[in-house]
Amino acid sequence: MAIAAPALYVFTAGNSQARQHLVDTVLHPIDRNRLVKYLGEAKTAELETLSTDGRLYAWGARPTENLIGVWNGLSVGDYVLVYYEGTYHLVSRVTSKLHEPQVARELWGTEPEGTTWEYMYFLDQPKTVGVKSSALASLSMPEKPQGFMRIATALEPIRQSYGSVEQFVTQLVAGGDGYAQQVPAPATPVSLAHVIEKFAEGTRASGLDYGEQHRQLVVRLLASLLTRPFVILTGLSGSGKSQLALKLGQWFGHDRYSVVAVRPDWTGPEAMLGYEDLLQPPPRPWIVGEVLKLSLRAAADPERPYLLLLDEMNLAHVERYFADFLSGMESDEPVIPNLAEQDGSWRIANAAETKRRVPHNLFVVGTVNVDETTYMFSPKVLDRANTIEFRVKSQDLPHAQGKPGSVEEADLGLLETLVKAGVDASWHVEHRPAGARQYEAAVTKLHETLTQVGWEFGFRTYYDMLRFAAFASAMGIGSWQQILDLQILQKILPRLNGSKRRLEPALSRIGRFCQDLAVDDKLKDEPNKVFMPIEQDLASPQLPQSYDKIRRMHRLLVANQFASFAE
């Protein structure tokens, strides 16, 4: 008996919920353990043997009469295209069919009415297509396919033009006849130094230029975000804090960043994580703000970076509205409501998993101004961030003679390089910078001297300092001393605040350390006299930026009997 020629199908992933399912079970292989507990080891292993890479990919249809009919017509060996946003993105071959509601609920959860995508079909490893649907109109392919459907009208034109569906798919993947984009060959890895150069060039081209400190500010911001995806920008109002973060968001892509102005009435996590509308009958819709919308978009697109800019972050008590979100970033525990948009309303996407993790590709930048209307940060918050202070030098003023424009979106390769480095918890171990041993020894000495006055730091800060060193070195910061200087400025000094009695011993010791990495608080040439930064205008300290900040803090401490990092 002759074997039937393969047919061609298409399914769409038009909303955020479908896009997330696509990421979970088509773009990424399924964890086999999720299937073993329902199908058993033997059946799961059998499904794995049917895929060319030995891994599991799947999709499913809901139990409606129309979709069941389409599913019944689907056969092993048929080809399925994946469509959304005007483009056929992927193609794959059907390897098996199963009607398994339990497995479907495990993989994709349920709709609000309790249905799931139970009419399942397993797929071979998907291949990239990337062809606009309009480019295939001559083959009678649907320009705007809907749901899950068999493409019957195109079979004869495809056979006439290509001989078979298999040859048509081969041409799509190979990029033949000008229909599809050529699947790119493995690209030369993009270095972080190249990423920095491109972003620095883009910001300058937009009209944003910080003068001689421009490149270092760019390195400090990006290295800090890769170290830990939460950075605080502080300094003089109008010094360009928000502009640099805004340009980074634009560089990520117009739909991959949000600027959210913090309001003084943010007194709980609802502003960040939304809340259920209790006045509505179950299943209740959620009130969703821009922070949660961006977080869900980032979760559905894990290979590209997203940026959340919290402007004037300390207009409200940061711990009250940000604690849950920050805890989720730190612990990697689910804290974000697992929502999907349906018919204009946001509802829980999976009753079995009502929360999801903060996406690792979401970077958070908070800007801070300090005056009588704002609040101080707690040590818990400062310990989980790098704090970058913006200062304006007189010679840099001529660079700000006009309002900056927009930055062009970066090439995908640059963005993917950033995300891959940021989500790799051991990146700094595999990319140890030159001078790593000397740097680590100096950080240990810094801990020793701070321990003497009760201001020592913990494992988290040490880990962050090592990661920052690796990223900053890869981005072009020359010496380990320069990197150490920046980390004292961004990780150690922001934690310091208090009265003269409490703070002066710490400033004395760190100031002496900045001179030549000594671990005492005595003058270098007069060991019986305590080192006082305000009195010592050193010509060439080893850590000049930190020492300059310490002297300013000491000056305020002497004048006011109290000082903090924020001036």
Side-chain angles (χ1 to χ4, degrees), residues 520-559:
D520 59 57
D521 61 351
K522 308 300 182 184
L523 288 178
K524 185 176 182 179
D525 300 321
E526 299 181 56
N528 294 322
K529 189 175 181 181
V530 174
F531 184 95
M532 288 293 165
I534 194 173
E535 300 171 358
Q536 304 298 320
D537 187 9
L538 302 177
S540 55
Q542 284 200 30
L543 311 177
Q545 292 186 77
S546 294
Y547 188 68
D548 180 64
K549 178 64 178 179
I550 288 167
R551 295 194 75 210
R552 296 200 310 271
M553 290 177 68
H554 197 195
R555 191 176 298 116
L556 290 172
L557 187 66
V558 171

Side-chain angles (χ1 to χ4, degrees), residues 429-441:
V429 177
E430 299 167 359
H431 299 82
R432 280 170 59 85
R437 288 185 178 179
Q438 298 96 313
Y439 176 81
E440 291 164 12

Side-chain angles (χ1 to χ4, degrees), residues 236 279 324 397 464 476 524:
L236 184 70
L279 298 178
D324 290 0
L397 289 174
D464 286 354
K524 185 176 182 179

Side-chain angles (χ1 to χ4, degrees), residues 405-417:
S406 297
V407 172
E408 292 187 6
E409 183 176 339
D411 292 338
L412 181 58
L414 299 173
L415 301 181
E416 288 180 340
T417 295

